[in-house]
Amino acid sequence: MNRKSRAAGGCSPGSFGCVSGRERRDETRAKSLLRRAVIAGTTLVAPALASAATPNPPAWTRPAAPIHLVGPIWYVGSEGLASYLIKTRDGAILLDATMAENVPAIERNISAVGVPLDRVRLLLVSHAHFDHAAGDAALVRDTGARVVAGAGDVAALESGIPPGETSYGVIRFSPVKVSRAIRDGDRVTLGGVTLRAIATPAHTPGCTSWSTRVVERGRSLTVLFPCSVSVAGNRLIGNGRYPGIVADLRGSIARLARERADVVLPFHPEQADVRRRAAEHQLVAPTLLPAMMRTASADFERELTRQTKEAR
């Protein structure tokens, strides 16, 4: 059955197998963004490039001015690594502190948008890799925030040793105490804002995506913060520290493809062109997430085939 007849048969827009004209445009854009990000060295696969012998992509530590996104959500991270601040009546929630070098700039951005540092109550960690978690210890020291992370990454965060086996070796980071280990479906609430945890293991065992509802100009929107579903140097074949990585990655891509999201805010912002979309008031894109997941699925299967051949 071709796409036209399948759509005519009642395939619902946004589903993983249904590709509408709008979704096809978003998918083409997602692939274009991925190619541009690879060239720039700032994509989610960039940890594979960030070995001890290779400098980190400059955008990862290039300061950026804070940007209002939607509802109570602000972008306060660097140009190439996202840190999202959610304001509530009882303080603020920060998603990812990124790298240790970025913490002073992140803290300046937090203050610039009117949140005193001691009002940052919670730090939600997407996953235990240095580019997302190396700044946690400093951020907690300066704010007193409690750390919330996926249960599968707690040991890595508290030891400073990333989980799994990769092609780029072990890049350690400052350990941090986790106050709450969360699992799929758990909810975190502060000041009337609730985030739902979506377990998306594979990039790391505790990789966690988050979903929340916000109101922007009277419109209710579902916002999704997806954890990475890229291979990013992870060993897929013979990974003794994470033998279930292949099944987890397939499952996490499929899981995110089923989620509804009006706004997609990934932790490597170029994956959804977050800063440009925000500047042009184009963050609302309900077909973007399934398009991103189709691209991720194709990239994963291609990399799995490559690693399987190499292992023979």
Side-chain angles (χ1 to χ4, degrees), residues 232-293:
N234 274 300
R235 184 166 287 116
L236 300 177
I237 306 300
N239 192 325
R241 295 184 63 198
Y242 192 177
I245 187 171
V246 169
D248 278 357
L249 191 39
R250 275 205 185 101
S252 292
I253 292 172
R255 174 71 185 279
L256 285 175
R258 294 193 300 269
E259 288 289 326
R260 177 176 175 270
D262 298 304
V263 177
V264 183
L265 301 177
F267 294 98
H268 282 260
E270 76 283 349
Q271 291 295 296
D273 213 358
V274 171
R275 296 177 60 80
R276 182 197 65 80
R277 284 177 180 268
E280 297 178 4
H281 306 288
Q282 294 180 353
L283 281 172
V284 178
T287 63
L288 180 59
L289 183 62
M292 291 173 66
M293 290 307 105

Side-chain angles (χ1 to χ4, degrees), residues 22 31-32 36 117 183 195 236 277-278 291:
R22 184 178 179 184
K31 290 178 179 178
S32 174
R36 285 164 46 196
L117 291 183
R183 291 175 171 78
L195 293 104
L236 300 177
R277 284 177 180 268

Side-chain angles (χ1 to χ4, degrees), residues 88-90 93 122 146 180 186-196 210:
T88 85
R89 61 174 179 263
D90 293 332
I93 303 168
L122 298 173
R146 292 180 292 119
R180 181 181 175 190
D186 286 351
R187 282 168 167 74
V188 173
T189 298
L190 180 72
V193 173
T194 296
L195 293 104
R196 173 175 57 92
W210 295 93

Side-chain angles (χ1 to χ4, degrees), residues 26-299:
D26 273 338
E27 187 164 8
T28 300
R29 180 161 184 80
K31 290 178 179 178
S32 174
L33 288 170
L34 181 59
R35 285 193 296 270
R36 285 164 46 196
V38 170
I39 293 170
T42 58
T43 184
L44 283 176
V45 302
L49 307 175
S51 67
T54 307
N56 297 326
W60 283 10
T61 52
R62 188 177 295 137
I67 302 174
H68 176 249
L69 299 177
V70 290
I73 304 174
W74 288 76
Y75 187 101
V76 294
S78 67
E79 184 179 303
L81 292 173
S83 183
Y84 297 107
L85 185 76
I86 305 177
K87 295 183 179 183
T88 85
R89 61 174 179 263
D90 293 332
I93 303 168
L94 187 71
L95 287 85
D96 273 10
T98 77
M99 300 172 68
E101 299 94 316
N102 291 338
V103 170
I106 289 172
E107 291 179 349
R108 287 194 297 272
N109 283 345
I110 291 171
S111 297
V113 301
V115 177
L117 291 183
D118 62 2
R119 292 284 289 171
V120 179
R121 305 299 194 197
L122 298 173
L123 171 59
L124 276 55
V125 184
S126 65
H127 62 286
H129 279 162
F130 81 101
D131 48 330
H132 300 275
D136 291 353
L139 195 288
V140 168
R141 180 196 64 216
D142 294 346
T143 66
R146 292 180 292 119
V147 176
V148 179
D153 277 3
V154 170
L157 290 167
E158 294 190 340
S159 67
I161 303 173
E165 298 176 11
T166 68
S167 61
Y168 56 87
V170 176
I171 303 178
R172 297 178 182 236
F173 50 85
S174 297
V176 67
K177 178 67 177 176
V178 176
S179 299
R180 181 181 175 190
I182 52 90
R183 291 175 171 78
D184 187 57
D186 286 351
R187 282 168 167 74
V188 173
T189 298
L190 180 72
V193 173
T194 296
L195 293 104
R196 173 175 57 92
I198 305 166
T200 45
H203 197 66
T204 65
C207 204
T208 302
S209 302
W210 295 93
S211 179
T212 191
R213 298 284 293 176
V214 304
V215 175
E216 174 68 12
R217 298 181 181 182
R219 181 180 179 185
S220 181
L221 300 169
T222 297
V223 179
L224 188 82
F225 304 90
C227 196
S228 174
V229 286
S230 67
V231 175
N234 274 300
R235 184 166 287 116
L236 300 177
I237 306 300
N239 192 325
R241 295 184 63 198
Y242 192 177
I245 187 171
V246 169
D248 278 357
L249 191 39
R250 275 205 185 101
S252 292
I253 292 172
R255 174 71 185 279
L256 285 175
R258 294 193 300 269
E259 288 289 326
R260 177 176 175 270
D262 298 304
V263 177
V264 183
L265 301 177
F267 294 98
H268 282 260
E270 76 283 349
Q271 291 295 296
D273 213 358
V274 171
R275 296 177 60 80
R276 182 197 65 80
R277 284 177 180 268
E280 297 178 4
H281 306 288
Q282 294 180 353
L283 281 172
V284 178
T287 63
L288 180 59
L289 183 62
M292 291 173 66
M293 290 307 105
R294 283 190 291 273
T295 300
S297 179
D299 290 346

